[in-house]
Amino acid sequence: MENTINLRLELYNQCLAYANQRISNAQEALDHAQESANTEEKSSAGDKYETGRAMAHLEREKGLQQLNAALKLKEVLDKINTSSSSDRVTLGSIVMTNSGNFYLTISAGLLKVGDIEFIALSPASPLGAMLNHKKIGDQFVFNRQTTVIQQIY
């Protein structure tokens, strides 16, 4: 049981690091866009100034969108209880199947714990939606491949 808790915690921490890195990158982009907007000097060519300001504004909007998306990842992670488990796949479940291992949380891609690989995916993704609420022994077809759930942690 302790190994399961450690595994859950390790996967959770990897996803948290992923979300925090996305937040940090978005904040840096936002700060850079703000700095560009602040340093844009008005020249005798007014159109150049306006174009520069417009570009800085677009970059700032893009940075805000990235920051909001990253903060939503963190919100999902905040809902996960790393010490509880269920007999059905729910948010925060580790799912072992005949075709791979999954961590139903946020779309963070490939995670490794020791020699074992996991794909962190969102319950809103197509595969995540198929896994959600399944139990051990359930099967489903994804990409023309029948997948059987072997373990849920």
Side-chain angles (χ1 to χ4, degrees):
M1 184 64 168
E2 187 166 325
N3 284 343
T4 301
I5 292 172
N6 290 340
L7 178 60
R8 286 173 157 276
L9 199 54
E10 177 61 30
L11 290 170
Y12 176 86
N13 285 335
Q14 288 184 39
C15 286
L16 186 60
Y18 173 84
N20 285 335
Q21 185 62 51
R22 295 257 324 249
I23 290 168
S24 177
N25 291 347
Q27 189 63 54
E28 282 179 32
L30 195 56
D31 292 346
H32 178 72
Q34 187 63 48
E35 185 179 308
S36 292
N38 291 344
T39 59
E40 189 66 41
E41 295 180 27
K42 191 154 188 140
S43 66
S44 59
D47 286 347
K48 180 182 174 200
Y49 169 75
E50 291 304 323
T51 300
R53 297 276 301 168
M55 292 299 290
H57 178 73
L58 288 174
E59 285 300 312
R60 182 165 162 54
E61 287 297 315
K62 181 179 171 186
L64 276 172
Q65 288 175 351
Q66 291 172 346
L67 181 58
N68 286 334
L71 289 171
K72 284 182 183 176
L73 295 178
K74 190 101 185 294
E75 284 177 27
V76 170
L77 291 171
D78 288 343
K79 295 176 185 174
I80 294 174
N81 181 349
T82 58
S83 61
S84 73
S85 63
S86 170
D87 62 342
R88 291 200 176 265
V89 178
T90 61
L91 182 66
S93 291
I94 298 168
V95 184
M96 313 291 254
T97 74
N98 63 318
S99 61
N101 305 315
F102 305 95
Y103 182 45
L104 197 65
T105 180
I106 61 172
S107 293
L110 186 65
L111 307 175
K112 283 186 86 170
V113 177
D115 293 337
I116 304 172
E117 293 182 344
F118 298 86
I119 297 174
L121 48 87
S122 165
S125 69
L127 182 54
M130 288 186 163
L131 285 170
N132 211 6
H133 306 297
K134 296 275 193 271
K135 61 185 186 316
I136 294 174
D138 284 353
Q139 53 185 308
F140 59 92
V141 177
F142 186 76
N143 285 341
R144 298 184 189 148
Q145 180 179 356
T146 300
T147 299
V148 180
I149 296 179
Q150 299 170 330
Q151 290 292 329
I152 301 170
Y153 301 108

